[in-house]
Amino acid sequence: MAAAAVANGTKKIEQTGRSKSGVISGPSNPMVTPLLTDLYQFTMAYAYWKAGKQNERAVFDLYFRKNPFGGEYTIFAGLEECIKFIAHYKLTDDEITFIRSSLPPSCEDAFYNYLRGINCSDIEIYSIPEGSVVFPKVPLMRIEGPIAVVQLLETAFVNLINYASLVTTNAARHRFVVGKSKLLLEFGLRRAQGPDGGISASRYCYMGGFDATSNVAAGNLFGIPLRGTHSHAFVSSFMSPDEIKEKSLKHHGGSSVCKDFVSLVKTWLGKLKRSRLLGGIFNETNQSELAAFTSYGLAFPGSFLALVDTYDVMRSGVPNFCAVALALNDLGYSVFGIRLDSGDLAYQSCEARKFFQTIEKEFGVPGFGKMNITASNDLNEETLDALKKQGHDVDSFGIGTHLVTCYAQPALGVVFKLVEINNQPRIKLSEEVTKVSIPCKKRCFRLYGKEGYPLVDIMTGENERPPKVGERILCRHPFIESKRAYVVPQRIEELLKCFWPGSSDKTREDLPPLKEIRKRCIEQLEQMRPDHMRRLNPTPYKVSVSGKLYDFIHFLWLNEAPVGELQ
């Protein structure tokens, strides 16, 4: 999604098919157009058209083959953007002219007239709701419609789902490591892969459990809470407190004014230096840093948060911060805290916490010992886990590069496979069993056990009798004969729901707001069994097929595979 997304995103049109909400806005990113596809989609569309096959009814599954980051779960994201894309799908004359120039001159003119008439009014999309925990092989989306049109959607759908699901999963894994009580702040814009990656990352990290972003454009577009303080440049831009010209600051909630806030800060710094309990921790602090913190406190007295590692955290940064914080406290302001951005974050956070607690005890400042400590500095899942084991006193983590670039794994590997055409199931075979597709139009169910945890996902043929609560169900691995188990579910959830009914009269599921999707994501993760969630050696989650579908897969496999002949 590009930062310039607003122009296209505010346009509204009537949705085809029945709809609860009536209208769907355009894609968040104006680059998401019918041309956001691979050339071979248009060459196939022409070949389908030339053969008279373009309107044959096809069913495709969109799924992935392996969970990312060495884990055993994935978060599904990107559905809303897919629905926005097809709601506005229409090739313009300029786009058709470009396609004509890109295809061989032998392509007939009538094909381009066919392209002019294409829309998604006859497409049906069934999908797992966005923000759900999902697993390999289970269709995230089932797309039905005229084969040429569905093929033209393939690349854009895969693009919109791939990164969105990957970075949402990455965010969820970071959240799992730090626990529920810590604030997670996404600071990745400057390191993201371009503006599209930056905006998308902010949206999907929030969906995956982060609390706020530094990305102002994402805050504007999606309503994500914003957080941020100052950089090292702000601190080093000052030379001395003498530079501060406007020294007055009004008391919080009152009419009285402190005429020389700078002197008040210096008075407090002197008290800290003479403190019986703090003696020896610091001596002379850096005066340019003191000036920067004082100036920043004057600018933001109600939300003062200082970056304290420009010169020396404990000998300068923390004492200077506390002097300004205590002066603000005298005027009735509540101070937010500090940010650490280098060095031994576990040790520094613990030492800073002791410093704050000592001040609260010696000077009788309620709550000062609980001041927020934020840590940044190229954090990732592994370092967060290490900090947890070392013991730290960090309240908030600002995470950027490793989060938004998905440094540990750059792609999810979503695929888009034909599973049925003209009511005839189709299968893709491979020498690699993991690449064999599961044929036919399917229904997908999640079976829950007595403790409330999901036990297994099972796929059945569309016309099979669905599983029932309390009924003994045989669940089989799609390809390995010996892997099977009986399950007696206590609750059953059907996973695929209609999000785009096409020309049918089915009711479309609403697209919930981002905050609701985030809530769903958090609730889904809380439902998972802890051993499926752990960072190291997680227990694989079972994905299965019904006995009937298992038999049909292997019948079709044998029927379609060529038989060799030995001479």
Side-chain angles (χ1 to χ4, degrees):
M1 297 171 195
V6 188
N8 207 30
T10 54
K11 185 182 176 185
K12 304 277 185 178
I13 66 164
E14 191 74 25
Q15 187 212 348
T16 55
R18 282 176 58 187
S19 165
K20 294 177 184 176
S21 40
V23 293
I24 292 179
S25 62
S28 299
N29 185 344
M31 293 168 64
V32 179
T33 73
L35 294 189
L36 187 70
T37 190
D38 294 303
L39 180 61
Y40 79 1
Q41 308 293 8
F42 281 107
T43 60
M44 284 193 293
Y46 180 76
Y48 285 135
W49 177 85
K50 183 71 173 170
K53 287 174 61 72
Q54 73 273 18
N55 291 322
E56 292 186 5
R57 193 77 180 175
V59 180
F60 286 78
D61 282 349
L62 183 149
Y63 60 95
F64 62 97
R65 297 186 176 115
K66 187 177 180 181
N67 288 305
F69 310 116
E72 284 298 334
Y73 70 93
T74 301
I75 306 297
F76 174 46
L79 170 64
E80 180 178 327
E81 291 304 314
C82 291
I83 300 300
K84 287 180 173 181
F85 173 55
I86 64 169
H88 292 253
Y89 192 96
K90 188 72 176 172
L91 284 151
T92 67
D93 287 340
D94 287 345
E95 288 169 338
I96 291 172
T97 299
F98 179 75
I99 295 163
R100 184 192 290 269
S101 70
S102 303
L103 293 177
S106 59
C107 292
E108 298 174 30
D109 289 346
F111 171 67
Y112 301 107
N113 291 330
Y114 160 73
L115 290 181
R116 282 188 183 88
I118 283 179
N119 59 40
C120 292
S121 60
D122 202 24
I123 298 292
E124 292 182 39
I125 292 180
Y126 297 81
S127 176
I128 296 176
E130 193 162 8
S132 297
V133 175
V134 291
F135 303 98
K137 288 290 185 181
V138 179
L140 306 177
M141 300 172 70
R142 187 177 80 214
I143 303 95
E144 306 176 30
I147 189 166
V149 180
V150 179
Q151 292 271 205
L152 290 174
L153 302 177
E154 174 183 354
T155 302
F157 273 29
V158 170
N159 176 273
L160 291 168
I161 298 299
N162 237 322
Y163 177 70
S165 299
L166 186 72
V167 76
T168 306
T169 306
N170 203 18
R173 290 178 64 86
H174 283 74
R175 167 55 72 193
F176 181 76
V177 170
V178 302
K180 299 178 185 178
S181 63
K182 306 297 182 184
L183 280 174
L184 283 178
L185 315 173
E186 179 267 309
F187 287 172
L189 178 58
R190 61 181 57 201
R191 303 287 169 77
Q193 286 97 335
D196 305 320
I199 298 292
S200 293
S202 297
R203 176 181 185 173
Y204 294 116
C205 287
Y206 182 67
M207 185 185 295
F210 272 59
D211 298 289
T213 179
S214 64
N215 185 339
V216 178
N220 177 48
L221 282 169
F222 308 123
I224 303 171
L226 292 173
R227 282 289 179 84
T229 179
H230 58 78
S231 71
H232 295 103
F234 181 81
V235 176
S236 55
S237 71
F238 286 81
M239 298 298 291
S240 138
D242 296 337
E243 293 178 58
I244 301 172
K245 303 301 180 187
E246 179 52 61
K247 301 179 181 181
S248 64
L249 180 62
K250 185 183 290 187
H251 284 248
H252 178 65
S255 56
S256 59
V257 175
C258 170
K259 293 184 178 179
D260 193 347
F261 183 70
V262 176
S263 293
L264 181 58
V265 169
K266 288 180 177 179
T267 299
W268 267 113
L269 186 60
K271 289 180 182 180
L272 296 177
K273 196 181 297 185
R274 295 189 299 272
S275 163
R276 176 177 54 85
L277 298 176
L278 295 172
I281 294 178
F282 73 99
N283 190 13
E284 292 299 322
T285 62
N286 186 287
Q287 291 300 290
S288 63
E289 182 180 64
L290 181 65
F293 289 176
T294 304
S295 180
Y296 203 75
L298 283 163
F300 299 101
S303 56
F304 178 53
L305 190 151
L307 180 59
V308 297
D309 70 334
T310 306
Y311 301 110
D312 188 292
V313 172
M314 294 310 301
R315 292 190 180 95
S316 182
V318 170
N320 279 337
F321 162 79
C322 289
V324 178
L326 289 163
L328 289 169
N329 180 75
D330 281 352
L331 304 184
Y333 293 98
S334 296
V335 177
F336 192 77
I338 63 171
R339 177 160 75 97
L340 303 168
D341 192 47
S342 61
D344 187 334
L345 299 176
Y347 172 76
Q348 290 176 0
S349 65
C350 292
E351 290 301 303
R353 180 71 67 206
K354 289 177 190 174
F355 202 98
F356 297 158
Q357 290 170 343
T358 300
I359 289 173
E360 178 173 354
K361 181 179 179 182
E362 182 164 356
F363 297 103
V365 185
F368 204 90
K370 296 179 180 178
M371 197 87 69
N372 182 280
I373 298 174
T374 299
S376 49
N377 187 29
D378 230 14
L379 299 175
N380 60 28
E381 194 180 333
E382 187 176 349
T383 54
L384 291 174
D385 191 46
L387 284 169
K388 197 173 187 178
K389 290 172 181 174
Q390 292 165 25
H392 66 81
D393 249 309
V394 177
D395 303 293
S396 310
F397 293 96
I399 308 174
T401 306
H402 289 269
L403 175 68
V404 303
T405 64
C406 296
Y407 196 88
Q409 180 175 325
L412 177 59
V414 168
V415 295
F416 194 93
K417 297 298 178 185
L418 178 70
V419 296
E420 188 172 292
I421 187 163
N422 296 332
N423 297 315
Q424 296 299 309
R426 306 305 297 147
I427 189 171
K428 179 218 176 268
L429 300 181
S430 172
E431 292 183 10
E432 297 177 49
V433 174
T434 56
K435 289 191 172 183
V436 176
S437 64
I438 298 176
C440 78
K441 190 187 295 189
K442 296 174 285 294
R443 295 175 72 179
C444 305
F445 302 89
R446 185 159 293 170
L447 311 183
Y448 291 81
K450 291 179 180 178
E451 296 179 345
Y453 297 127
L455 295 175
V456 62
D457 283 8
I458 185 169
M459 293 172 267
T460 72
E462 185 194 30
N463 296 320
E464 280 189 59
R465 186 171 67 85
K468 292 184 177 180
V469 170
E471 183 178 70
R472 193 164 175 253
I473 301 161
L474 177 62
C475 299
R476 304 202 63 170
H477 187 284
F479 308 121
I480 303 174
E481 189 173 13
S482 61
K483 286 193 173 183
R484 54 190 179 168
Y486 284 107
V487 176
V488 181
Q490 304 305 302
R491 181 165 76 88
I492 297 173
E493 177 188 5
E494 183 157 12
L495 298 177
L496 294 173
K497 304 179 187 301
C498 181
F499 280 87
W500 188 262
S503 56
S504 73
D505 61 355
K506 294 166 186 168
T507 300
R508 176 180 69 80
E509 296 286 326
D510 270 340
L511 295 173
L514 179 58
K515 287 184 178 179
E516 283 187 26
I517 301 173
R518 180 178 185 272
K519 181 182 176 185
R520 175 183 180 80
C521 176
I522 293 167
E523 289 173 349
Q524 286 256 310
L525 289 166
E526 288 175 346
Q527 286 181 349
M528 295 303 299
R529 217 169 64 199
D531 58 311
H532 294 310
M533 302 290 293
R534 62 189 177 214
R535 275 193 73 241
L536 299 176
N537 302 314
T539 303
Y541 182 83
K542 293 177 176 61
V543 172
S544 68
V545 295
S546 66
K548 285 185 178 180
L549 183 53
Y550 175 88
D551 291 340
F552 183 72
I553 291 168
H554 290 264
F555 165 78
L556 199 61
W557 193 336
L558 292 174
N559 195 54
E560 295 288 345
V563 180
E565 182 174 333
L566 302 178
Q567 298 291 334

